[in-house]
Amino acid sequence: MNEKCESIMESAIVPSTQSEQQLLQFGLSLHRSHRNDEEIATALMDLIEQDKLTDGKKLLFSVLYQLGAYRSAAGVITPELLHEEPMRLMYAETLIHIGNVEQAASFIQECMKTKTQDEVGFSTKMNQLFEISQLQMEGGCLLDNIPFSRLAALIGQAVKYGLNELAFKLASSGDNYLQCLFIGALYRQGYNVAAKNHLTSLPDPLTLGAQRIFQQTAFISAEMLHDEECYAEASRIFKALVKQAPDMAEARFGAASCYLHETMNNLFRRIELYHPSEEERLKIDKYLETIQQSLLIMNESNWHTLWSPAQQRNLQHHRSYHLN
């Protein structure tokens, strides 16, 4: 039920129009050009006014939220924008993202008192946000009263809202299972360096058991090695996962990607070492082109983790073709 509610409410923040998608891409390009959030908000508003887009402030708030420019998003909110429940939800999440958990808790309580609709999942989601806010305000002191299944969900939610210290405390109360949940949540939200650091404190995930969470953690470790161009080590893990979990298609794609990258690197080394003739060089170039086309096709399968514009802010290295 929680996953269903999460899916329903997540759909509220997916760009719903072509204009919104264009604004999102424009804002993302500005961020990649090292423009600060205040400059991005101003540029977006100028574009909205120039194109005379309807619901300009609502559109601006939504785009800033999706970009992860949460402080700027909170700065443009008005009471009129909070008439709709999805907007209330996004604003509550924004307050948590910027660390205003007490204000978020107060806002959520007010929303629950005055809500006029019964949108599916809204009350459940707001209650989850209120619980996260309470946990943060209490410093995680309510751990003894949380069932294990709820604890596991809270770890992911805390990381999602940038409350990583709280998530770490929640995960530390359990065993390797919760630690793997924590690492997976960090990585999915773009905290790749933090995920790698916590991964080093665990035994090899491949030795922890056949549960899917351990396999997913092993996949994350292999994916990070792949991105660091440690293809041989990454390939070893991907191949082990294929044996353990034959239905894990992404591990097969990962192993294939490692093979193609290694083959391409070997061909480049051959060119540097042996200075092949023009005829041989043409053949090698043809092989390289085929490999590159194969990699492009594989990337289109989305086997690799993809990060949203907001999550990209947390990454400490970038592989552009893996990003939305």
Side-chain angles (χ1 to χ4, degrees):
M1 180 59 185
N2 286 340
E3 290 180 0
K4 182 179 180 182
C5 292
E6 184 85 16
S7 175
I8 290 169
M9 299 314 294
E10 287 286 349
S11 67
I13 62 171
V14 174
S16 57
T17 66
Q18 184 178 359
S19 296
E20 187 171 351
Q21 182 62 49
Q22 290 172 345
L23 287 169
L24 183 60
Q25 292 304 316
F26 177 59
L28 185 57
S29 68
L30 291 176
H31 175 68
R32 288 172 174 168
S33 300
H34 308 292
R35 303 283 290 276
N36 64 46
D37 288 346
E38 186 176 338
E39 292 173 325
I40 292 172
T42 299
L44 287 170
M45 194 65 223
D46 288 345
L47 194 57
I48 288 170
E49 291 177 348
Q50 175 186 312
D51 293 346
K52 298 179 180 179
L53 299 176
T54 57
D55 294 325
K57 286 190 176 180
K58 178 180 177 181
L59 194 55
L60 178 61
F61 173 79
S62 178
V63 172
L64 289 171
Y65 175 92
Q66 292 172 70
L67 288 170
Y70 299 115
R71 290 194 180 277
S72 293
V76 303
I77 204 70
T78 63
E80 293 75 23
L81 292 178
L82 298 175
H83 290 160
E84 299 174 9
E85 289 183 344
M87 294 296 289
R88 293 179 182 180
L89 174 63
M90 291 165 62
Y91 181 56
E93 292 179 340
T94 296
L95 291 173
I96 297 173
H97 272 294
I98 64 177
N100 293 349
V101 289
E102 292 184 8
Q103 185 181 349
S106 176
F107 174 73
I108 291 166
Q109 286 181 310
E110 190 61 30
C111 287
M112 297 302 286
K113 289 178 185 176
T114 60
K115 70 185 185 75
T116 57
Q117 303 177 35
D118 189 24
E119 186 166 335
V120 176
F122 177 77
S123 296
T124 299
K125 185 62 176 175
M126 278 297 204
N127 285 330
Q128 291 173 358
L129 293 177
F130 184 74
E131 186 176 9
I132 281 286
S133 299
Q134 272 194 314
L135 278 172
Q136 177 68 3
M137 289 187 288
E138 297 290 335
C141 294
L142 304 177
L143 290 175
D144 293 339
N145 301 321
I146 303 175
F148 182 85
S149 59
R150 183 66 190 129
L151 182 62
L154 284 169
I155 290 170
Q157 290 164 8
V159 174
K160 177 181 177 182
Y161 302 122
L163 307 177
N164 292 352
E165 290 185 9
L166 172 61
F168 175 70
K169 187 169 186 178
L170 294 171
S172 298
S173 66
D175 55 11
N176 288 330
Y177 187 95
L178 288 183
Q179 291 293 323
C180 286
L181 282 175
F182 177 52
I183 290 167
L186 287 172
Y187 189 67
R188 284 191 300 275
Q189 293 300 322
Y191 298 106
N192 57 328
V193 173
K196 183 177 181 179
N197 290 339
H198 286 288
L199 190 56
T200 60
S201 66
L202 280 181
D204 181 353
L206 289 171
T207 67
L208 293 176
Q211 289 176 282
R212 199 63 166 188
I213 186 63
F214 300 138
Q215 294 167 350
Q216 290 169 343
T217 305
F219 177 84
I220 287 171
S221 69
E223 190 172 277
M224 288 191 287
L225 287 166
H226 173 280
D227 290 354
E228 293 166 2
E229 300 184 3
C230 300
Y231 299 119
E233 181 62 16
S235 179
R236 180 191 69 79
I237 299 172
F238 283 135
K239 289 177 180 177
L241 281 171
V242 169
K243 290 182 180 179
Q244 275 195 14
D247 62 328
M248 202 173 192
E250 58 269 35
R252 295 179 183 275
F253 280 110
S257 181
C258 289
Y259 171 78
L260 290 172
H261 277 289
E262 284 190 300
T263 302
M264 189 163 57
N265 289 344
N266 289 336
L267 289 172
F268 280 126
R269 282 194 291 268
R270 180 180 179 122
I271 293 172
E272 292 174 0
L273 290 173
Y274 300 109
H275 305 290
S277 65
E278 183 177 352
E279 183 179 354
E280 280 189 301
R281 180 60 188 266
L282 288 173
K283 289 181 180 179
I284 292 173
D285 286 345
K286 187 175 180 180
Y287 292 145
L288 288 170
E289 184 180 352
T290 301
I291 291 171
Q292 289 169 341
Q293 288 298 319
S294 299
L295 285 170
L296 285 173
I297 293 170
M298 287 183 60
N299 288 334
E300 290 174 358
S301 72
N302 293 338
W303 72 269
H304 192 288
T305 300
L306 295 169
W307 292 280
S308 71
Q311 292 161 354
Q312 289 179 37
R313 291 180 173 232
N314 303 324
L315 289 168
Q316 294 187 30
H317 67 78
H318 293 267
R319 296 288 294 266
S320 60
Y321 60 90
H322 289 150
L323 305 177
N324 282 334

